[in-house]
Amino acid sequence: MNGLYDEIRVVVHSVWTRRWLVLGVAWGICILGWLAVASIPNRYDSRARLLVEVNQILPDDAGGSPYSGARQIDQIRETLTSARNLEKVALTTGLIGADAGERDKAGAVAMLQKNIKVVPQQQNIFEITSSVGVGSLSDADNAKLASGVLDSLITVFRDDQLRGGRMDAREGLKFLDAQIAEREKGLREVEARRGAFEAQNIGLIPGGSGSPAQRVDAARAELSQIDSQLVSAQAQLAAANGQLSATPATVPGVGGVGGGVARQQLAGAQNELASMRARGLTDAHPDVIALKSQIASLKAMADREGSGGGGMQNPAYASLAAMRADRQATVSALSARKTQLMGDIAKITSQQIQNPGIAAEYDRINGEYTALKAQYDKLLAQREQVRLRGEVQTETDAIKVELLDPPSKPTSPAAPNRPLFLTLVLLAGIGGGIGAAFALSQVRASYATAAKLERASGLPVIGSITEVVTPDRHVERRKRLVWLGGGAAALVGLYALLLIAEFVQRGMVA
C-alpha cells in the first residue's frame, strides 16, 4: 500500500513540476475544441401530425384498382416527400431563388429529402419531422425555417392532392381511350383478314363460330353428354317395353264404353304431324321422327281397339303405350343428334387432314381475334370504372387531409448539445495536459526520491540534499503560482462565458 502511495506521489510530483506544460496543452486543446464546437450549426426540429382519409364511395374491384384505398395511402406515403413537392417547398421557403439552376434545385431537394422524415403512426396518420441547420443562417432563422418547411410541405401536398386526383383521372381516361382505339383498330384488321380468309377458302372452312379445333372440342363435349343421356333413355325405353308386354291391352267389360280413345289420340297425332310439315319440318327432323313413331304405336292400339269385341281398352296399357312412345321419341332424337355430331366431327377432321395449313392459319387468326377481343372488353370495363371514380373525385373530396398537430415552433436546438460538448472539450483539455506532462516525465528520466534512484541504478544511495529556498526564490515561486492560477481561472472563465453565451442565444430564439 505504501509503495502505491509513493508511486502516486511521484506521478503527481512529475506532473506538478511540468504544470506550465499542462496549462499550455489544456489551453490549446480547449481553444481548438471550442472553435470546432462553435462551427457546428444548431439544428432545429419541427414536428407535425397529419391525418389522411380516403373517401371510399365506390367499392374496390376484385382485381385491385390503382385507386383503391390501401393503395392510395401507400401512394400518399411515397409522394409526400417527392422531388416535385420538395422543389416547390424550396422555392416557397426561399432556400432557392426562382432563377436557380438545376444543380441548385437538386441540392436543395437532396437536403430536404435527407432532413424530412415521414413516420406512419397508424395506417392513415403520419408524423412529419423537419430538421434544419443551415450554417449561413442565424439560430432564429433556422428555427423559423424548420416550421416553415413543414407549413409549406403540407400546403403543397394539399393542393397537389386536390388537383392530382382529378388530373390522374383525366390522364387515365386519355390513356385508356388511346388503348381502346388501338385495340379497336386491331380488331377491325383481324376481322377483315378473317373475312377475306373465309371468302378465299369457301368450302374448306366449316361454318359456325370459333376455330375448327374449338368446334371439334365443343362437339365432342356435347357428344359425351348425349352418349350418357342416350344410355339412360334406352334403359328407360327397355323398362317401358317390359312393363307394356306384361300389361293386357283390354279388360273385360261392356264393349264400346271406352271405344275410340286410341283413334282420338291417333287423329290428334296425325293433325300435329300435318302441322309440323306445314311449318317446313322434314322427315329427318327429330320431332317428326318421334311423332311418326308415336303414330305407329297409336295405329296398332286403334286396330286392337277396333277388333276387341266385347272388351274395353285397358287404361294402364294406354298410359304405358304413351310413355313408351315418348321414350322412343327421346331415343330417336338423341340418336339423330349423335349421328349429326359424329358427322360434323368427321367432316371437320377430314378437312383439317386434307388442308392442315388452312386449318392452322384459321385457328391462328381466330386466336388473335379472341385475345384482342378480351383485351378490348377489359379496357372498356376499366375505362368505365375510371370515369366513375373521376366523377366521384370531381363531385366530392376523394382525399381529405386534416392537420392533427400543427408544425411546432422550436425554441431550443435539437442538436448539437453544445453545453455538453463544451464541458467535454474542457475535460479533454485538462486530461490532455496532464497526459502530456506525464508522458514527458517518462521520456526524460528523473528521480523524485532516493529509493527510486536506488531501484533504477541498482546502487546504494548514501543520502539526499534538500532544496534550500531563499526569500527571493520564494517570492518568485509565489508570483508564478499566481500566474498559473490566473491562467487556469481564465480557462474556466472562458468556459463559463461560452456557456452563458449559448443560453443567451437560445433565449433570443425563444
Side-chain angles (χ1 to χ4, degrees), residues 52-55 72 76 157 161-162 396-401:
V52 181
E53 291 182 339
V54 178
N55 191 5
Q72 279 183 324
I76 290 167
F157 177 69
Q161 289 302 318
L162 289 176
T396 62
D397 292 332
I399 297 179
K400 180 181 178 182
V401 180

Side-chain angles (χ1 to χ4, degrees), residues 35-363:
L35 287 176
V37 172
S39 64
I40 302 175
N42 285 331
R43 192 195 75 202
Y44 289 86
D45 291 352
S46 179
R47 288 180 174 81
R49 285 202 311 153
L50 201 64
L51 172 65
V52 181
E53 291 182 339
V54 178
N55 191 5
Q56 199 70 4
I57 296 178
L58 295 178
D60 296 339
D61 59 337
S65 170
Y67 299 96
S68 62
R71 295 198 177 201
Q72 279 183 324
I73 294 296
D74 293 336
Q75 184 181 9
I76 290 167
R77 187 181 303 171
E78 294 172 0
T79 59
L80 185 62
T81 56
S82 62
R84 184 181 63 179
N85 288 352
L86 293 182
E87 184 175 338
K88 294 179 182 178
V89 171
L91 288 170
T92 305
T93 55
L95 287 175
I96 56 176
D99 56 347
E102 293 297 327
R103 184 175 181 180
D104 294 335
K105 291 180 180 179
V109 169
M111 187 269 288
L112 290 176
Q113 285 179 338
K114 180 181 179 181
N115 294 327
I116 295 179
K117 305 297 182 184
V118 179
V119 180
Q121 293 183 335
Q122 296 178 12
Q123 184 180 4
N124 56 347
I125 297 179
F126 304 93
E127 183 184 47
I128 312 173
T129 304
S130 68
S131 302
V132 176
V134 181
S136 59
L137 300 178
S138 64
D139 285 357
D141 291 337
N142 279 327
K144 183 178 179 181
L145 183 60
S147 60
V149 165
L150 285 189
D151 282 331
S152 178
L153 179 63
I154 294 171
T155 302
V156 169
F157 177 69
R158 278 176 169 170
D159 295 340
D160 184 68
Q161 289 302 318
L162 289 176
R163 294 191 303 268
R166 297 163 187 171
M167 291 183 64
D168 288 344
R170 288 196 294 268
E171 291 295 328
L173 286 175
K174 183 178 178 181
F175 172 77
L176 288 174
D177 286 339
Q179 293 294 317
I180 289 172
E182 182 179 350
R183 297 299 189 281
E184 187 175 359
K185 180 180 177 182
L187 279 174
R188 290 176 179 174
E189 292 177 355
V190 174
E191 285 177 349
R193 290 208 316 269
R194 186 171 67 175
F197 188 82
E198 289 176 349
Q200 187 179 359
N201 299 276
I202 295 176
L204 300 178
I205 300 176
S209 60
S211 65
Q214 291 174 341
R215 288 197 294 274
V216 168
D217 291 340
R220 286 174 177 169
E222 186 179 356
L223 184 61
S224 177
Q225 294 178 357
I226 288 178
D227 283 338
S228 61
Q229 293 174 3
L230 185 59
V231 170
S232 176
Q234 288 173 345
Q236 292 176 0
L237 178 60
N241 288 332
Q243 291 177 355
L244 188 63
S245 62
T247 302
T250 60
V251 293
V254 179
V257 176
V261 176
R263 290 188 178 87
Q264 292 175 2
Q265 293 178 352
L266 177 60
Q270 288 175 343
N271 291 334
E272 185 177 356
L273 179 61
S275 175
M276 288 183 177
R277 287 176 174 171
R279 293 201 305 269
L281 300 181
T282 63
D283 291 340
H285 195 277
D287 293 341
V288 175
I289 295 173
L291 188 58
K292 290 175 71 175
S293 176
Q294 185 177 2
I295 289 174
S297 299
L298 290 174
K299 282 183 178 180
M301 292 172 58
D303 292 341
R304 288 193 298 270
E305 186 178 64
S307 61
M312 70 175 186
Q313 185 182 16
N314 187 355
Y317 184 86
S319 175
L320 289 174
M323 183 186 300
R324 184 185 66 174
D326 182 65
R327 293 180 179 178
Q328 283 177 343
T330 302
V331 171
S332 300
L334 290 174
S335 299
R337 182 58 181 164
K338 178 178 179 181
T339 303
Q340 181 183 357
L341 289 174
M342 293 178 66
D344 292 343
I345 293 174
K347 182 180 178 182
I348 296 173
T349 305
S350 175
Q351 290 176 348
Q352 288 181 323
I353 293 174
Q354 293 175 2
N355 303 283
I358 294 177
E361 179 65 16
Y362 194 64
D363 282 346

Side-chain angles (χ1 to χ4, degrees), residues 385-407:
Q385 185 182 34
V386 172
R387 185 186 65 80
L388 288 175
R389 293 187 182 277
E391 291 179 357
V392 169
Q393 290 179 343
T394 302
E395 299 296 333
T396 62
D397 292 332
I399 297 179
K400 180 181 178 182
V401 180
E402 182 179 352
L403 192 60
L404 297 180
D405 296 331

Side-chain angles (χ1 to χ4, degrees), residues 363-394:
D363 282 346
R364 189 189 67 79
I365 294 175
N366 275 318
E368 184 178 353
Y369 177 82
T370 302
L372 283 174
K373 188 65 169 61
Q375 294 177 5
Y376 180 77
D377 293 339
K378 184 177 180 181
L379 287 173
L380 283 178
Q382 289 180 350
R383 184 189 184 283
E384 182 64 18
Q385 185 182 34
V386 172
R387 185 186 65 80
L388 288 175
R389 293 187 182 277
E391 291 179 357
V392 169
Q393 290 179 343
T394 302

